[in-house]
Amino acid sequence: MSGPHLNRQLVLEAPVRTPDGAGGLTESWSVLGTLWAEIRPRTGREANGEAGALAVGGFRITVRAAPQGHSNRPAPGQRLRQGGRLFRILTVTEHEPGGMYLICETREEVAA
């Protein structure tokens, strides 16, 4: 049995929250590493965001597994970036019992 076709290079990023000096927090993103991935579309819909209408797309992204706790192991709340495209990671599960690959269920939001 052959594995997924990992032909897309994505950057794994984690949120960094810092005080904004006014009692709130600002969010920026820190690069954790680069992963090769397979991206497959799942669903799509339109929603309203803070800045207006958004096209929301669901994608299943498969990557090679990394050990628990390793900086290159994706986790919910992080995101994957491909150029200007951003995929927020919702869930991460093992692809098969051997744990060679991870499946990330993601959401891409694009201003409509």
Side-chain angles (χ1 to χ4, degrees):
M1 180 173 115
S2 67
H5 189 60
L6 308 180
N7 62 353
R8 304 274 186 98
Q9 192 172 17
L10 304 178
V11 176
L12 178 64
E13 299 178 333
V16 177
R17 293 173 182 88
T18 54
D20 64 6
L25 296 173
T26 59
E27 184 176 83
S28 59
W29 293 87
S30 172
V31 173
L32 298 178
T34 302
L35 306 174
W36 285 95
E38 175 184 75
I39 301 174
R40 292 194 176 195
R42 301 288 291 163
T43 59
R45 65 182 174 85
E46 193 169 307
N48 288 317
E50 291 179 18
L54 296 173
V56 180
F59 289 85
R60 176 173 282 172
I61 298 178
T62 304
V63 299
R64 191 170 305 282
Q68 287 282 353
H70 191 277
S71 64
N72 267 0
R73 186 179 177 101
Q78 296 176 341
R79 71 183 185 187
L80 294 161
R81 174 190 294 272
Q82 182 185 35
R85 297 180 74 184
L86 299 173
F87 303 92
R88 287 197 177 263
I89 300 171
L90 305 174
T91 63
V92 179
T93 57
E94 291 186 351
H95 183 265
E96 78 287 328
M100 289 183 59
Y101 299 98
L102 299 173
I103 297 173
C104 303
E105 295 294 341
T106 68
R107 182 181 68 225
E108 179 185 30
E109 296 179 352
V110 179

